[in-house]
Amino acid sequence: MAARVDLDGKPIKPLTICMIGAGGFIGSHLCEKLMAETPHKVLALDVYSDKIKHLLEPAGAHPWSDRIQFHRLNIKNDSRLEGLIKMSDLTINLAAICTPADYNTRPLDTIYSNFIDALPVVKYCSENNKRLIHFSTCEVYGKTIGSFLPKDSPLRKEPEYFVLKEDESPCIFGPIEKQRWSYACAKQLIERLIYAEGAENGLEFTIVRPFNWIGPRMDFIPGIDGPSEGVPRVLACFSNNLLRHEPLKLVDGGVSQRTFVYIKDAIEAVMLMIENPARANGHIFNVGNPNNEVTVRQLAEMMTDVYSKVSGEPSLEEPTVDVSSQEFYGAGYDDSDKRIPDMTIINKQLGWDPKTSLWDLLESTLTYQHRTYAEAMKQAIAKPAAN
Ligand SMILES: NC(=O)c1ccc[n+]([C@@H]2O[C@H](COP(=O)([O-])OP(=O)(O)OC[C@H]3O[C@@H](n4cnc5c(N)ncnc54)[C@H](O)[C@@H]3O)[C@@H](O)[C@H]2O)c1
Ligand SMILES: O=c1ccn([C@@H]2O[C@H](COP(=O)(O)OP(=O)(O)O[C@H]3OC[C@](O)(CO)[C@H]3O)[C@@H](O)[C@H]2O)c(=O)[nH]1
């Protein structure tokens, strides 16, 4: 493997990374990249390992086998956590409940997972002088300032009313009874705590705010590799509808807007943070693709077209159906209206820019979904329902 140098031309020494939540969607892609392209070691912590099984098994069979160790543990209640952080140069915390269907139906679990359970991780890093990269979310911005202007106000088109900037934009959440914001609020408080540990105790930290990273292995397909009644994030919900040849469900008209970034582009940004601590420490980074903005309705239409292309199956005549948020998510749901990340800070500090268009990222992701799930779905549909 060629010697790696950082953005300032200095050699990068091999690191030991304690990655908490390594078995999830982002963790699995980060582990893959670290194993394939770097000499770094990963202590992979999670309660699940299915998404990184291909990196761990067969034991000893891969060129990286001695550089990745899986530790099955729940950070809520495992005394091994501090020791594993102490053994590492860097801790990356990805562990969280981060599915909107949970925020208003399991608000306590959501708040505990995103704030209380993250506390010991911050404390152990601070007390042991270990660097921390913590995964927050674009949801900390909540709603845009523009969403409070009259519908026909020309100011709504002005970037200062909707572009989300790490060091300037306010965090605007709905009332407490809209429990959707339990997640964003818990993430905001842990960000503030990490920032304060940096300011008062010298913790070296980087905070990542992902803006809808999507790609293979995101969440689960209900009834195939996850609970039949489960509600994953939108990519997996729409993939499930497409695989079942049923209309895609548009919540409250599908008018909310999102920017989607390809997981492989986003992982490049995280690699730059890992290997350039002098440029990344003390910063909060938006990581998203401002060029890939669509309404949820447009996303549904594009996914329908792409899926038809990659599967060779014709689309339904009526490919979408409207559903209320009350019916789909239950009481207390609310939504972010629009999410355009400002890219100035990440561009200046790390020179990172996303590359992949929405069409291209959907083409590779839906090709993966079709290859991985279409056959299993056929069999599941053909099987008579259990009594
Ligand atoms: N994917 C995105 O677009 C996105 C957007 C915003 C924020 N984020 C943040 O990025 C992080 C990772 O997200 P993801 O999409 O990979 O989610 P994910 O659900 O796929 O991964 C999270 C992983 O953490 C593990 N985990 C949760 N609680 C744990 C505990 N107590 N002990 C041990 N392991 C635990 C889960 O088992 C899971 O494997 C989260 O903090 C999330 O809030 C992701
Ligand atoms: O079947 C469906 C599912 C969802 N929607 C709508 O799509 C929008 C996006 O939903 P989703 O991807 O599930 O989640 P959010 O973007 O709202 O929130 C996530 O953003 C980042 C993160 O922090 C972690 O991933 C998480 O909170 C939304 O408007 C849904 O209502 C739909 O119409 N149909």
Side-chain angles (χ1 to χ4, degrees), residues 35 50 226:
M35 291 304 109
D50 300 8

Side-chain angles (χ1 to χ4, degrees), residues 103 137 139 183 212 233 249 251 258 333 335 339:
Y103 308 163
T137 174
E139 275 209 41
Y183 165 80
N212 293 76
R233 286 169 285 188
K249 292 183 177 151
V251 172
R258 294 289 186 271
Y333 182 75
D335 208 356
R339 288 184 182 155

